[in-house]
């Protein structure tokens, strides 16, 4: 509230995510302010959870991994990829937003080519859920075996 004002909150004192999203994707300064508030808290939480885990490996879902220069947090970079047209369609369906905002969201991310270039592993998600599930299961076995043989967290 102190940074963005009360107009981004509804009467119940709840954040109006849509209004804030619309603002930060149109105004880079506002987005930088929001990221300065959120990212330290998010990464503090991630690091705490990693320290507390006792499994062979964990997967961190970090949509802005490259944009936040957070590759140091992981040993392996897994990119879930799909065709750009499908990505746009999914964002539109998921969020119920305009094409302009969806395009702004995508344009503020590292481009697909760079993501794929930096990936150690790639799952292609252009297909049916069953195919995706099979790819995930295969990688789960690989990661489990790798963590057991190297006694490391991936």
């Amino acid at each position: 509230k102190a940074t963005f004002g009360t107009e981004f909150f509804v009467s119940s004192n709840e954040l109006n995510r849509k209004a804030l999203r619309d603002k930060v994707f149109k105004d880079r300064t506002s987005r930088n302010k929001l990221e300065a508030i959120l990212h330290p808290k998010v990464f503090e939480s991630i690091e705490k959870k990693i320290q507390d885990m006792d499994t062979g490996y964990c997967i961190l879902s970090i949509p802005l991994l490259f944009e936040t220069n957070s590759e140091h947090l992981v040993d392996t970079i897994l990119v879930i990829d799909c065709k750009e047209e499908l990505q746009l369609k999914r964002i539109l369906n998921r969020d119920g937003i305009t094409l302009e905002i969806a395009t702004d969201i995508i344009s503020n991310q590292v481009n697909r080519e760079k993501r794929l270039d930096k990936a150690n592993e790639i799952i292609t998600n252009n297909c049916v859920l069953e195919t995706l599930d099979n790819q995930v299961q295969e990688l789960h076995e690989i990661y489990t075996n790798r963590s057991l043989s190297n006694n490391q967290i991936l």
Side-chain angles (χ1 to χ4, degrees), residues 10-41:
V10 292
S11 61
S12 63
N13 216 21
E14 220 175 278
L15 180 64
N16 182 338
R17 292 175 182 267
K18 180 189 178 314
L20 188 57
R21 178 188 61 219
D22 291 350
K23 178 161 182 66
V24 300
F25 282 109
K26 289 182 194 290
D27 177 20
R28 179 73 180 157
T29 301
S30 293
R31 191 169 73 245
N32 288 341
K33 288 178 182 179
L34 180 63
E35 289 173 351
I37 294 167
L38 293 179
H39 289 176
K41 294 176 189 300

Side-chain angles (χ1 to χ4, degrees), residues 94-143:
R94 180 192 68 203
D95 295 348
I97 56 178
T98 65
L99 179 60
E100 178 187 4
I101 292 172
T103 303
D104 286 344
I105 290 171
I106 291 172
S107 70
N108 282 292
Q109 298 173 351
V110 165
N111 69 47
R112 182 179 184 213
E113 182 179 309
K114 186 172 182 179
R115 261 193 322 272
L116 294 174
D117 185 54
K118 289 186 164 215
N120 302 104
E121 313 274 359
I122 299 169
I123 288 180
T124 303
N125 187 14
N126 294 323
C127 49
V128 296
L129 198 53
E130 183 180 345
T131 304
L132 179 64
D133 187 51
N134 291 337
Q135 292 178 80
V136 170
Q137 288 302 320
E138 286 175 25
L139 272 180
H140 170 64
E141 288 178 33
I142 290 168
Y143 289 169

